[in-house]
Amino acid sequence: MKQLFFILGALLVLSYISQSQGATCTVTNAGGGDDTNNIVTAFNNCKSNGVIIFSAGKTYHFNTPGTTLATLSGTTVSILGSIVFPASTSFSDVSYYMTFKGSNVVINGTGDLDGNGQVYWNAGKTGGPKLVKFQLTGSSSITGISIHDSPAQHVSVNGCNGCVFRNLNVYITWSRIQSGKKASNTDGFDIGSSSNVQIINTKVDNGDDEVAINGGVYNLLISGMNCSNGHGISIGSLGKSNANDIVDGVVITNTSFYNTQHSVRIKTFL
């Protein structure tokens, strides 16, 4: 009987270890082709307690932006290469090029997300898809990556609770803009309906608000941010169509502004 209990206990331990560690998925690179299906497959196979790796030195073409990715739980996503979205205005009906959704998710690396937004700016378009949306809860963090050249807003933080953004580089490549054109509506961070979010030691160099704080934001810390060439940090716009928008507990500290229209302001509809 003791031997039976020992065997059952060992099986339970092995099962627990298997579930807690999960699998490791290195995203297959198509070598210049469309990597969308490979990305979807990696997210499906490693969505629970797994590790998803975009390899260093590789360029992954997400040629079907807006494709739904699996909801993650306890997953680490290491972005060491480049995830590139199409240089095309054919996806104007897409809200977000890429969405990370889940709980206790760690996203890190030295790679980048490239939105190729210059095709919108140089065509004189003032809107377009947002580059990436984070809808994460639990002890989730996004660290180290670069997010750049979005057609419109770069980073959408919506439905987040407890997320930490640290050491990110969010920017416009100014040399991609043709003479006489401008990158409009390219906010660095758009934050709404989120609580207990921190943005730490992050650089934003863009053509609009470095951070736009919308209704439903509670306990937001911005610390050590370097803002340049945009409109500064904005609370709002609030109260559109007489909406009762609430923003509470915003702390901005140790933050610098270079060549911005404003530092910190509050925008409301009359």
Side-chain angles (χ1 to χ4, degrees), residues 77-147:
V77 182
S78 291
I79 302 175
L80 304 173
S82 295
I83 303 174
V84 178
F85 299 89
S88 169
T89 59
S90 300
F91 300 96
S92 297
D93 59 338
V94 173
S95 296
Y96 305 95
Y97 273 171
M98 192 172 193
T99 298
F100 292 91
K101 185 176 181 180
S103 61
N104 300 312
V105 176
V106 174
I107 300 170
N108 58 28
T110 54
D112 67 296
L113 276 63
D114 182 353
N116 270 315
Q118 68 278 359
V119 295
Y120 283 85
W121 320 328
N122 294 333
K125 296 181 180 292
T126 57
K130 303 172 181 67
L131 183 43
V132 59
K133 178 180 180 180
F134 296 100
Q135 190 172 351
L136 302 171
T137 59
S139 300
S140 295
S141 62
I142 301 91
T143 305
I145 62 174
S146 295
I147 300 170

Side-chain angles (χ1 to χ4, degrees), residues 18-25 42-52 70-76 103-104:
S18 175
Q19 291 176 10
S20 62
Q21 289 181 343
T24 296
C25 297
F43 273 67
N44 287 340
N45 290 342
C46 287
K47 63 186 177 183
S48 298
N49 301 308
V51 178
I52 300 168
T71 298
L72 306 177
S73 177
T75 308
T76 296
S103 61
N104 300 312

Side-chain angles (χ1 to χ4, degrees), residues 13-68:
V13 169
L14 288 173
S15 175
Y16 172 77
I17 292 174
S18 175
Q19 291 176 10
S20 62
Q21 289 181 343
T24 296
C25 297
T26 299
V27 181
T28 302
N29 184 257
D34 187 2
D35 293 293
T36 303
N37 288 338
N38 296 334
I39 294 170
V40 169
T41 298
F43 273 67
N44 287 340
N45 290 342
C46 287
K47 63 186 177 183
S48 298
N49 301 308
V51 178
I52 300 168
I53 300 172
F54 293 86
S55 299
K58 301 291 186 181
T59 298
Y60 297 87
H61 294 276
F62 202 128
N63 287 350
T64 314
T67 297
T68 300

Side-chain angles (χ1 to χ4, degrees), residues 199-265:
I199 306 175
I200 310 294
N201 296 338
T202 287
K203 297 179 180 180
V204 183
D205 180 358
N206 66 333
D208 211 293
D209 292 332
E210 270 75 19
V211 182
I213 304 165
N214 301 302
V217 173
Y218 299 86
N219 301 325
L220 168 66
L221 171 64
I222 299 172
S223 178
M225 179 174 282
N226 186 326
C227 303
S228 55
N229 299 311
H231 296 175
I233 296 175
S234 298
I235 299 176
S237 297
L238 304 177
K240 185 176 182 179
S241 301
N242 295 316
N244 184 25
D245 289 326
I246 298 175
V247 173
D248 184 39
V250 175
V251 175
I252 302 169
T253 182
N254 194 30
T255 291
S256 62
F257 300 87
Y258 172 78
N259 195 34
T260 58
Q261 290 185 3
H262 311 275
S263 53
V264 180
R265 59 176 175 166

